[in-house]
Amino acid sequence: MKHDNVFITRLIPQEGLDLLKRHCTIKVNPEDRQLAKHELIENIVAQQGLMCLLSETIDRDIMEAGSELEVISNYAVGYNNIDIAAATELGIAVCNTPGVLTETTADLVWALILSVSRRITEADNFTRQGHFRGWEPMLMLGCNVYDKILGIIGMGRIGKAVARRATGFSMKIMYHDKIKLSDADETYLNATYCSIDELLRYSDFISLHTPLSEETHKLIGAGEFQRMKPGAILINTSRGQVVDETALVEALENKQVAGAGLDVYEEEPVIHSALLSMKNVVLLPHIGSATVETRTKMALMAAQNIIDILQGSTCENIINPQALTIRK
Ligand code: DGY
């Protein structure tokens, strides 16, 4: 294993690099920029391991260029950037970093809920620009969060962590997922299982927590915006392609929705230009898991995933265990 080579596509917290260095030879992209496909192909040659990011598409061409590749460790919980079917067929294990970013991402969802509803970024700009002339009865009126209904689509780890925080705001939760929670969890979270249509009709805030798949691609489009409760606010920290961004812009322009808090975009890093000038929209640069503590845990987990697979040990975070039986 000491002779295994691992390519890391971007600089990650040092703790993860140090852990890997104890077990294999690492090569880190020295430039602080995303590599083009041809550069990924050049760098993957003679590597047994690859650590990559969700913004990098790892397709069959790249995997085939890495003829010695045994493991791809995604520095993320989502793995829609990787062709899992191709990896499995080629006997390459794919791993992710679940669990460690749950609470941090849920915190960011709440930052967005509060920022949009209480107009925080708009008010901050207003103040900095010298417009504050003293207390005014009609200045920067937002909407309450307390006692409202929060709709959660995708009640997995992050969805539940968001719901848990909502109990402190006396909110009711309406949620939709493939799997219904236990009665005890529903009671604890003040949550009611419902169809997406019902959730759209009654929720004051709608937060998306589904992975990106064929099923969830553009799950929220023009029809869904029309069915939302007037004044609803959309929060998306999952994947940009879960929302039809053009339909979102139209819904905001037509005031079908009152605002949006977005951490992810359909064509990242490109953002629909109309969103950039909307005051009722808070835009973040995909920072759901961006705290020192969490990114360090992700680095350690992503590194350990590589070590486990290359050592032939059990890896809890393997997405395609079938690949191990097809090993080259
Ligand atoms: C993930 O891990 O999938 C997140 O989007 C990273 O912040």
Side-chain angles (χ1 to χ4, degrees), residues 73-94:
S73 182
N74 214 31
Y75 185 71
V77 62
Y79 46 85
N80 53 287
N81 55 313
I82 301 173
D83 184 340
I84 303 292
T88 308
E89 207 181 294
L90 294 166
I92 303 169
V94 179

Side-chain angles (χ1 to χ4, degrees), residues 74 76-79 82 84 88 93-97 315-322:
N74 214 31
V77 62
Y79 46 85
I82 301 173
I84 303 292
T88 308
V94 179
C95 308
N96 66 341
T97 62
C315 177
E316 281 180 9
N317 306 319
I318 182 165
I319 286 147
N320 59 345
Q322 320 86 289

